[in-house]
Amino acid sequence: MDFARRAWDHSFPMDPIVRTLLDTDFYKFLMGQMIWEKHFNDEATFALSNRTKSVRLGDMIDLGELREQLDHVRSLRFQANELIWLRGQTFYGQEGMFSPSYIDFLRRLRLPDYELGIDPQSGQVVFETHGRWAEVTFWEIYVLSVVNELRNRAVMKTMGRSQLDILYARAKVKLYAKLERLAKLDDLNLTDFGTRRRHGFLWQEHCILTAREVLGDAFTGTSNAFLALKHGLEARGTNAHELPMALAALCPPQDEACLAAAQYKVLQQWQNSYRGGLLVFLPDTFGTSQFLANAPQWVSNWTGARPDSKPPVEAGEELIAFWERMAVDPKEKLIIFSDGMDVEIPGFTVNGSDIVAVHDRFHGRVRLGFGWGTMLTNDFLGCHPTDGDALKPISLVCKLKAANGHPAVKLSDNYSKATGPAEEVARYRAVFGSAGLSEVPTRV
C-alpha cells in the first residue's frame, strides 16, 4: 500500500472512514447480545469527550465533512456474509455464540440519530446520541474511528507528497523495530486492540498484517471484527466499563445497596451467557481495590482479569494477592494488560507502559496477555518531518452518559478519568471509597 499516495489523493467526493458495520470492536457484539437479551427496553445516551483539551478538534475538523461521514455510517447495514460469519464461527472455543434471534436483530439494525455541534468555548466537537441501549451502543467505536481519522487527515492535508512519504516510511520502521523487540519474548500473547484510536483503517490493517508476519503465533488476533473475518484472524474482546456503569445507573435513586452490588451483578449476567476465555473481569470501573476487597468467592473462579487504569505493576501485584487470598493459584489465572501499552525502542521515549518490562515482571507468575492499542495502530510520534508531535494521539472517548435518564458514572483508578456529574461522582465515591486512586498513574 502506497500510504503517501493514498493520503495525497483527495479527488473522490467522499472517502468513507467506516465501510462496514463489522469494522468495530468484537466486544461490541458480545456486550450487545447481553444487552439485547437482558435490557432490551432500557435506553441509553452516549457522548463524545476529548480528554486532550489542548487539541481543539472543532477548529481542525469540518463539521459538514464529519456529518457526512456519520450519516454514511447510519446508511450501512450488516451484510449477509458478515452475519453468517458471526453466527457460524467458533469464538473462544464456543460454537453458536450468537443466537439466531440476535443475528436477526443485527440484520435489521439501523443506528439511531445523533446531535452534532461545536462548543465555542472549548473548541471541541459535541456528539451525543440517544436511543435503545442495544442499538445506540454501536455508535461508540464508529464515532471514535471517524473523528480520529478526520483529525489525522486534517493534519496530512497540510503536508506535501514528499513529507507524506517520509512520515509513513518512518512510521513503518518504528513499527517494525517494536515488533522485533517483542519477537524475543517467551510465550508472548499479543492482540491488536487499536481500532478506536487508530490512524486510519488501512494503517491498522498494515499494522496487524505486519505483526502477524513478525510475531507469528505470538500475535493472537485482533479486536476488529471485520479484519478478523477478512484475514482469518481470531476475533478478540471481552467486556467494557459500559456494562457496570449502566447497571449502576439503572439502580433506583439513593439505593446504595443496589449501587454497590451492580459491579458484581453484571458479572453474574455475563457468566450466564459466556464461559472460558470470555470470563475476564474488568475491576476498575468504580476502583479496583474496593472491587477486589468486596468480591464474592465465585469471582476468583473466573479465567482472569483486565486491569485498565492502574499502573500495571501495581495492578498485577494486587490481582495476584487477591487470588492468593482466595486460595487460588495465580499461575492458572490470566491477566490481560491493555491500558496504554507500548514498546520502548532506541531513539524514542516509551509513550505508556513498556510491554517488555511488564512481561518480564509477571512471566511465569500468571498467564499473560497484552492488548496493544493506540501505540500499535497510531504511533506517528517523531515521524512528521517538521513537527514530531503533529500527529500525537489524543485521548478521545465516547462514554455512556445516562441509562434510562439516570446519570452514568465511572470512577476509574485515576481521578483524571472519572466521568459523570460532579454530585454523582461524589455520591459514588462515598459508596465505593477512594482508596487506591491516583492523580497520574505511573508507567513501567
Side-chain angles (χ1 to χ4, degrees):
M1 168 62 67
D2 185 343
F3 290 102
R5 180 178 179 182
R6 189 70 174 78
W8 178 262
D9 184 3
H10 303 293
S11 61
F12 22 74
M14 185 187 80
D15 184 8
I17 291 172
V18 177
R19 298 170 176 84
T20 165
L21 291 181
L22 203 64
D23 181 17
T24 189
D25 280 341
F26 181 63
Y27 74 179
K28 275 295 165 184
F29 299 105
L30 297 170
M31 294 192 300
Q33 179 169 246
M34 195 184 93
I35 295 166
W36 175 81
E37 289 176 344
K38 304 182 187 303
H39 301 278
F40 184 75
N41 291 318
D42 290 320
E43 296 190 344
T45 302
F46 281 74
L48 185 72
S49 176
N50 179 17
R51 296 190 294 221
T52 309
K53 304 300 182 185
S54 60
V55 178
R56 294 170 60 93
L57 291 172
D59 297 340
M60 303 179 68
I61 296 174
D62 180 80
L63 201 63
E65 187 177 4
L66 174 55
R67 189 181 300 278
E68 188 179 28
Q69 290 285 349
L70 297 177
D71 286 346
H72 174 72
V73 175
R74 286 198 76 215
S75 74
L76 296 173
R77 302 291 182 271
F78 284 105
Q79 300 301 302
N81 67 310
E82 297 169 342
L83 296 174
I84 290 170
W85 178 75
L86 283 171
R87 178 71 182 122
Q89 185 75 5
T90 298
F91 302 106
Y92 286 86
Q94 188 172 335
E95 297 180 358
M97 182 172 290
F98 300 105
S99 71
S101 297
Y102 184 62
I103 294 296
D104 189 57
F105 164 78
L106 292 177
R107 182 178 294 109
R108 294 178 284 106
L109 176 66
R110 184 176 188 231
L111 295 183
D113 206 352
Y114 59 88
E115 296 179 5
L116 189 66
I118 304 292
D119 184 322
Q121 290 187 329
S122 67
Q124 298 300 334
V125 171
V126 177
F127 170 91
E128 189 167 300
T129 181
H130 174 83
R132 183 170 284 163
W133 185 17
E135 298 171 346
V136 77
T137 183
F138 282 96
W139 260 122
E140 179 191 5
I141 308 302
Y142 303 132
V143 71
L144 291 176
S145 299
V146 167
V147 173
N148 268 299
E149 187 161 347
L150 284 180
R151 179 254 181 166
N152 293 333
R153 288 183 182 184
V155 173
M156 292 189 296
K157 283 179 182 178
T158 67
M159 302 172 65
R161 174 60 193 268
S162 60
Q163 288 183 315
L164 289 166
D165 276 331
I166 294 170
L167 177 79
Y168 283 107
R170 288 176 175 174
K172 286 180 179 180
V173 170
K174 194 176 184 184
L175 169 66
Y176 206 88
K178 290 182 178 183
L179 293 171
E180 284 183 315
R181 186 158 188 250
L182 290 175
K184 299 175 183 178
L185 299 181
D186 293 331
D187 306 314
L188 179 65
N189 172 12
L190 183 81
T191 298
D192 158 45
F193 275 15
T195 298
R196 64 184 55 226
R197 297 192 186 119
R198 67 194 182 194
H199 173 77
F201 170 80
L202 295 173
W203 182 253
Q204 181 184 16
E205 185 172 38
H206 169 77
C207 290
I208 67 170
L209 293 178
T210 305
R212 181 170 67 175
E213 177 184 330
V214 176
L215 299 179
D217 292 340
F219 182 68
T220 51
T222 174
S223 66
N224 187 293
F226 177 68
L227 290 173
L229 165 63
K230 182 178 180 181
H231 296 290
L233 295 164
E234 291 288 330
R236 296 292 184 185
T238 53
N239 52 74
H241 301 108
E242 172 186 346
L243 294 180
M245 287 173 66
L247 263 67
L250 291 172
C251 286
Q254 307 309 316
D255 188 340
E256 315 299 24
C258 176
L259 198 61
Q263 58 189 342
Y264 307 118
K265 180 181 177 181
V266 70
L267 300 186
Q268 290 176 316
Q269 293 186 356
W270 186 264
Q271 67 185 5
N272 287 337
S273 299
Y274 305 114
R275 60 178 185 267
L278 289 175
L279 296 184
V280 175
F281 61 81
L282 186 65
D284 73 315
T285 306
F286 308 121
T288 295
S289 296
Q290 63 78 31
F291 176 95
L292 297 178
N294 300 311
Q297 179 70 40
W298 58 264
V299 173
S300 67
N301 295 327
W302 274 41
T303 300
R306 180 170 71 89
D308 193 57
S309 58
K310 184 169 282 193
V313 168
E314 183 181 346
E317 296 294 351
E318 191 171 20
L319 284 165
I320 289 174
F322 163 73
W323 285 314
E324 289 177 339
R325 187 172 72 251
M326 293 292 190
V328 174
D329 184 0
K331 291 183 179 180
E332 298 178 356
K333 296 300 176 181
L334 172 69
I335 300 180
I336 301 174
F337 292 99
S338 62
D339 180 35
M341 306 309 298
D342 197 10
V343 181
E344 188 172 3
I345 55 175
F348 294 93
T349 302
V350 63
N351 192 52
S353 298
D354 183 24
I355 293 175
V356 177
V358 176
H359 174 274
D360 291 347
R361 173 87 179 209
F362 293 105
H363 181 241
R365 300 175 62 197
V366 295
R367 295 164 52 206
L368 273 176
F370 293 95
W372 194 11
T374 305
M375 300 314 291
L376 167 63
T377 62
N378 195 14
D379 185 6
F380 286 76
L381 281 167
C383 298
H384 192 290
T386 60
D387 182 359
D389 288 335
L391 287 168
K392 184 177 182 178
I394 58 176
S395 182
L396 193 68
V397 294
C398 184
K399 290 290 184 183
L400 180 74
K401 183 179 180 180
N404 284 353
H406 301 294
V409 171
K410 176 189 172 190
L411 296 182
S412 181
D413 286 320
N414 177 6
Y415 270 102
S416 67
K417 290 188 174 183
T419 62
E423 64 275 11
E424 284 296 295
V425 170
R427 183 169 77 91
Y428 274 60
R429 284 186 175 146
V431 172
F432 294 106
S434 58
L437 298 184
S438 59
E439 294 290 347
V440 181
T442 54
R443 298 296 185 186
V444 176

